[in-house]
Amino acid sequence: MKLAFRLTLIAASLAVTHASFAQENVLNLYSARHYQTDELLYENFTKQTGIKINRIEADDNQLLERLKSEGKNSPADVILMVDAARLWRAEADGLFQPVKSAVLDARIPANLRASDEGKGPEWFGFSTRARIIVYNKVAVDKKDVSTYESLADPKNKGKVCTRSGSHPYMLSMIGAMIDRNGEAATETWAKGMVNNFARPPRGGDTDQIKGVATGECGVALANTYYYVRMLRSTKPEDKEMVNKIGFVWPNQETSGTHVNVSGGGVARNAPHREAAVKFLEYLSSDEAQAYFANGNNEWPVVQSAVVKNPALDALGKFKMENVSVAAMGKNQATAQKILDKAGYK
């Protein structure tokens, strides 16, 4: 089903009463995930349950604004976001509802879901991605960029590239840094990063990796699935770039590498709540978890899921930081203030 047709379905649904939605064997999914490999996830859910998925895709901010404008008349049943900061923002804006599910409690680790105030978590992480350091093999010594903190060291002046400081990937990482190191140390780090920029922050993670390969940047931050996507590419230009770069699991001797999540929850006014919970439980199944890993190069959150992705396996094992995704989200406002004060655009 084409995106335009999905949009038409959702738009048309707004003209129908909220009560009528509950009578249909459908699920209205608002998703910030824009990966073609997810199509298999949705098709398989429909095959297993007979529940048809109407999907609308947009980036996290657009979905949040749409949900707030729709209010109690929103047709959304499930909301999927690609970052802990945005999941927390949706929770803070009252866009989710608590879910008590023995299946989700058993399969999703406690540190990869929202806090539970007794009524059940409002959102759950279903896949993880790590924030690695990518460096140019010729221009940078790997030992000089072994930690996130080392990127702010004067020895790396003129070498560092990142996304915008206001991007949720950055806010989540810095939110975790605040939890580990405190606000003062994080502010010092942010100022050091600004002093070391090779160019003003811009572009996505793939742009950072390409910048390192071309020599525009000496070192950059990127999520693992972007890096693995390039490793799996058959394009000659991508293969050439991969040969010029290396990567580091940051902070292996200290706090561990920052890990973020892609996750979701049941919308506050979901007209198909039962189907919504069933869909979330399906996302925690071994089969669905394997799709995340094999299709989009993300790690499953369920240990029993079987991963058959040689490129992902080739990255090896690493020490993860011990910071809950809920804490990352709660610290995002403070993270943004710190970045603004440091002049981190």
Side-chain angles (χ1 to χ4, degrees):
M1 186 184 294
K2 298 297 185 181
L3 177 57
F5 186 45
R6 294 190 191 103
L7 289 169
T8 301
L9 282 174
I10 295 297
S13 69
L14 293 174
V16 186
T17 63
H18 190 270
S20 68
F21 278 111
Q23 300 171 8
E24 301 172 15
N25 195 29
V26 299
L27 176 79
N28 298 318
L29 173 63
Y30 279 31
S31 177
R33 291 180 61 88
H34 50 270
Y35 317 120
Q36 289 185 346
T37 51
D38 283 357
E39 294 290 344
L40 290 174
L41 276 173
Y42 308 136
E43 290 175 6
N44 193 55
F45 175 73
T46 299
K47 288 179 182 178
Q48 289 185 17
T49 64
I51 298 172
K52 177 184 177 183
I53 296 179
N54 296 326
R55 187 164 91 249
I56 181 170
E57 292 180 348
D59 68 28
D60 302 80
N61 274 332
Q62 290 171 330
L63 287 181
L64 291 175
E65 289 305 313
R66 179 172 184 135
L67 286 158
K68 285 188 284 187
S69 67
E70 290 173 348
K72 65 180 181 180
N73 294 316
S74 176
D77 292 308
V78 170
I79 306 166
L80 295 182
M81 298 282 173
V82 294
D83 177 84
R86 290 293 180 254
L87 286 163
W88 182 86
R89 172 50 55 195
E91 179 183 7
D93 288 344
L95 301 178
F96 289 126
Q97 60 174 281
V99 172
K100 278 188 173 294
S101 164
V103 172
L104 294 172
D105 287 347
R107 297 183 69 79
I108 307 298
N111 67 316
L112 297 180
R113 59 193 188 210
S115 56
D116 185 350
E117 304 301 330
K119 296 181 180 180
E122 294 197 8
W123 52 265
F124 302 83
F126 292 106
S127 63
T128 63
R129 58 281 295 272
R131 201 86 177 136
I132 57 173
I133 292 173
V134 180
Y135 66 96
N136 184 292
K137 292 179 180 178
V138 174
V140 172
D141 187 333
K142 183 178 181 178
K143 297 191 297 293
D144 290 340
V145 291
S146 63
T147 67
Y148 299 114
E149 290 79 8
S150 68
L151 300 185
D153 191 290
K155 64 187 173 186
N156 288 314
K157 188 174 181 62
K159 299 178 181 179
V160 178
C161 290
T162 74
R163 280 181 180 260
S164 164
S166 62
H167 192 276
Y169 292 169
M170 292 299 299
L171 292 176
S172 288
M173 192 192 87
I174 296 164
M177 188 176 288
I178 291 170
D179 191 80
R180 294 194 316 267
N181 303 336
E183 293 182 30
T186 302
E187 183 175 331
T188 299
W189 173 85
K191 291 177 180 177
M193 289 287 283
V194 171
N195 289 335
N196 286 351
F197 283 155
R199 55 164 171 71
R202 66 170 185 265
D205 282 13
T206 300
D207 298 309
Q208 313 312 316
I209 296 172
K210 290 181 178 179
V212 171
T214 61
E216 179 184 17
C217 317
V219 62
L221 293 164
N223 276 348
T224 41
Y225 69 95
Y226 290 100
Y227 180 72
V228 176
R229 188 182 297 168
M230 191 166 288
L231 287 179
R232 297 178 74 179
S233 174
T234 58
K235 296 179 180 178
E237 59 269 29
D238 288 344
K239 290 180 176 294
E240 184 180 352
M241 282 191 282
V242 166
N243 290 332
K244 296 179 179 179
I245 61 178
F247 84 94
V248 173
W249 293 118
N251 296 61
Q252 292 301 283
E253 301 301 320
T254 55
S255 55
T257 297
H258 169 66
V259 172
N260 206 338
V261 298
S262 176
V266 178
R268 169 65 65 183
N269 300 294
H272 309 101
R273 189 181 191 281
E274 183 178 346
V277 174
K278 186 176 294 186
F279 180 71
L280 295 186
E281 291 176 344
Y282 161 74
L283 292 183
S284 74
S285 68
D286 283 5
E287 183 176 25
Q289 289 283 295
Y291 281 130
F292 288 123
N294 301 328
N296 197 49
N297 308 308
E298 300 169 89
W299 282 285
V301 300
V302 177
Q303 295 302 313
S304 57
V306 177
V307 176
K308 296 180 180 179
N309 185 333
L312 194 61
D313 291 342
L315 297 184
K317 304 294 184 181
F318 65 100
K319 176 183 176 181
M320 295 186 293
E321 68 182 3
N322 186 25
V323 177
S324 75
V325 290
M328 296 176 205
K330 291 178 181 178
N331 287 338
Q332 68 170 310
T334 302
Q336 189 65 73
K337 289 179 182 177
I338 287 173
L339 293 177
D340 291 343
K341 187 175 180 180
Y344 199 125
K345 302 300 184 182

